[in-house]
Amino acid sequence: SSKGHIRDLATTGKFGLGVDLEDNFKPNYIVIKGKKKVIDDLKKNAKSCDEVILATDPDREGEAISWHLKDAMGLKEKDYGRVVFNEITKNAIVEAFKHPRKIDDNLVHSQETRRILDRIIGFRLSKLMQSKTSGGKSAGRVQSVALKLIVDKEREIEAFISEQYFTIEAYFKDFESTLEKYKNKKIEIKSEVEANKILNKLSNAFTLENVEKKEKKKNSNLPFYTSTLTQVAS
């Protein structure tokens, strides 16, 4: 077992990102402290095997670990198989070993992109945050962007200048209605004077031109999952 990740981005280069910002964000990977012996043992054991099976987790982190293992161990395409299973039971594992595949580069690139974004956004932002606050807090690629959106929206709310407006409504025996158009134009009434001016020009004769009936279908709410349960609880 590799016991998880074996390599990670270095902390060298510009801003200590381990990523070359000038060369298409090329990553610079180094062996994680304490993992050299693990890699050496795996390489040694692999020499006596016909094939190496990479059975890391079935997500993008697991796919990335498999890719790093393949690369660090110098495995060729014919030397390995990648298997995935979602439960640790005999049947699931035996079935997975019947269908080995090759490493999914798209999943690897997905994890690689997430890690690089962590560095580009979180690494520098955390240093700035720690210089302004106490307690060694860190800032990440997700919360920081979310906070920026919240701040922008709050500034928009604070800058909003409220305006008074009026509506004209008619009450009939069986229903109520609101004046939406005046002289075939959509209206916005900004003052009481303007409202009264329109009212005085309207007659008391009304014509019901059309009645429209619609059938609506309302689906039941989906069962709760973690985020929706939290939202409702809040």
Side-chain angles (χ1 to χ4, degrees):
S1 171
S2 70
K3 303 176 182 72
H5 284 278
I6 57 163
R7 299 196 304 195
D8 196 7
L9 293 171
T11 51
T12 54
K14 195 172 183 180
F15 306 120
L17 299 177
V19 178
D20 192 340
L21 301 177
E22 311 302 324
D23 186 14
N24 293 315
F25 304 100
K26 186 178 178 181
N28 176 23
Y29 290 113
I30 58 167
V31 174
I32 295 169
K33 191 176 179 181
K35 287 298 179 86
K36 186 179 183 304
K37 185 178 183 307
V38 173
I39 296 170
D40 289 343
D41 285 345
L42 288 168
K43 285 170 83 170
K44 183 181 173 183
N45 287 321
K47 284 179 182 175
S48 59
C49 301
D50 295 326
E51 185 182 23
V52 173
I53 297 294
L54 302 171
T56 49
D57 286 352
D59 56 14
R60 64 184 181 186
E61 291 293 324
E63 205 73 15
I65 293 170
S66 281
W67 178 80
H68 281 289
L69 282 166
K70 172 182 175 280
D71 193 58
M73 292 169 69
L75 299 174
K76 295 185 174 125
E77 290 296 303
K78 64 181 176 60
D79 297 333
Y80 83 94
R82 166 79 170 115
V83 301
V84 293
F85 42 87
N86 292 295
E87 58 186 64
I88 303 180
T89 61
K90 181 181 177 181
N91 288 343
I93 294 169
V94 169
E95 187 61 28
F97 271 67
K98 291 177 184 175
H99 308 285
R101 61 170 172 80
K102 294 304 173 186
I103 288 167
D104 186 336
D105 289 333
N106 287 332
L107 279 177
V108 175
H109 294 155
S110 175
Q111 189 275 343
E112 195 169 47
T113 304
R114 180 197 67 76
R115 192 72 189 99
I116 289 170
L117 278 173
D118 272 340
R119 282 292 177 90
I120 293 173
I121 298 171
F123 217 61
R124 296 179 68 192
L125 210 51
S126 292
K127 285 182 179 178
L128 174 65
M129 188 173 168
Q130 286 157 11
S131 71
K132 306 290 182 186
T133 61
S134 59
K137 301 290 183 187
S138 63
R141 74 190 188 283
V142 177
Q143 300 96 322
S144 304
V145 176
L147 182 61
K148 170 79 165 65
L149 293 171
I150 291 166
V151 170
D152 286 349
K153 180 56 73 177
E154 186 60 27
R155 285 175 176 162
E156 202 178 298
I157 291 167
E158 288 175 351
F160 178 76
I161 299 167
S162 61
E163 291 182 1
Q164 194 176 42
Y165 71 95
F166 292 79
T167 58
I168 295 174
E169 295 178 345
Y171 297 89
F172 300 95
K173 183 183 174 184
D174 299 316
F175 63 93
E176 298 172 10
S177 64
T178 305
L179 185 67
E180 298 281 346
K181 289 183 179 179
Y182 181 64
K183 293 185 177 177
N184 288 322
K185 286 184 182 175
K186 197 167 175 67
I187 55 166
E188 282 188 8
I189 307 169
K190 297 290 181 67
S191 71
E192 193 174 348
V193 173
E194 192 182 345
N196 286 329
K197 197 173 174 183
I198 294 170
L199 267 173
N200 291 332
K201 288 183 179 179
L202 293 174
S203 75
N204 287 324
F206 294 90
T207 304
L208 187 62
E209 288 187 344
N210 182 38
V211 175
E212 198 174 290
K213 286 186 178 181
K214 287 183 179 177
E215 199 172 289
K216 286 188 176 180
K217 183 181 177 184
K218 187 177 179 182
N219 293 322
S220 299
N221 290 332
L222 292 170
F224 280 130
Y225 48 91
T226 306
S227 61
T228 54
L229 181 64
T230 308
Q231 288 162 25
V232 172
S234 296

